[in-house]
Amino acid sequence: MGEADYNALSEEVARTIEVVHGHVIKCESPEPGHNRIARRLATHLENARPPGGRCLSVETDIDVVLWRVPKFTFRRPDVVVHLDAVAMEYRQHRIHRTVLELELPIMVSIPLAALTAP
């Protein structure tokens, strides 16, 4: 599936899929616990933004086009942290046994228990 094909879909259908290298991936509705963790993670990341620093946004449930060439790929990640203005260098996160650490654009350590507690 290409970008034009995706854009032609109804909103009802488009919200149920992601496209990876042109292939359609059906997305199941997340369970409440999954949504709770994503919400808490977004809150922790927003609270860790440095005051007066770069203008960072933390978003949930948005479509992110990763690339258009060679094959259209977009995903709908649970949480996205990005600069509001200029493109930035991206470094992958590191997952440890008990803490999620992000190197850029902010440094924050979040106990996984803070995300997964009922």
Side-chain angles (χ1 to χ4, degrees):
M1 172 178 282
E3 187 171 7
D5 299 321
Y6 173 75
N7 290 333
L9 295 173
S10 70
E11 178 69 20
E12 181 180 328
V13 172
R15 297 295 299 161
T16 65
I17 66 169
E18 292 180 350
V19 180
V20 179
H21 302 293
H23 298 281
V24 174
I25 308 294
K26 178 147 176 51
C27 299
E28 300 296 326
S29 295
E31 296 189 16
H34 178 95
N35 290 338
R36 182 178 57 249
I37 290 169
R39 185 186 75 244
R40 288 177 179 172
L41 177 59
T43 299
H44 279 282
L45 292 171
E46 283 183 329
N47 292 339
R49 292 182 297 184
R54 295 175 168 179
C55 191
L56 300 175
S57 290
V58 179
E59 306 292 341
T60 58
D61 197 32
I62 62 169
D63 295 349
V64 177
V65 174
L66 298 175
W67 52 81
R68 292 179 167 88
V69 177
K71 300 255 184 189
F72 178 60
T73 295
F74 97 90
R75 303 300 299 257
R76 193 172 298 110
D78 297 317
V79 179
V80 177
V81 179
H82 62 91
L83 288 173
D84 285 341
V86 189
M88 56 176 235
E89 177 185 355
Y90 171 77
R91 294 188 187 173
Q92 288 186 322
H93 65 273
R94 296 180 310 213
I95 298 179
H96 299 280
R97 290 182 163 209
T98 59
V99 176
L100 172 66
E101 292 185 8
L102 301 171
E103 294 180 36
L104 283 179
I106 55 179
M107 180 62 178
V108 59
S109 291
I110 304 167
L112 292 180
L115 303 177
T116 59

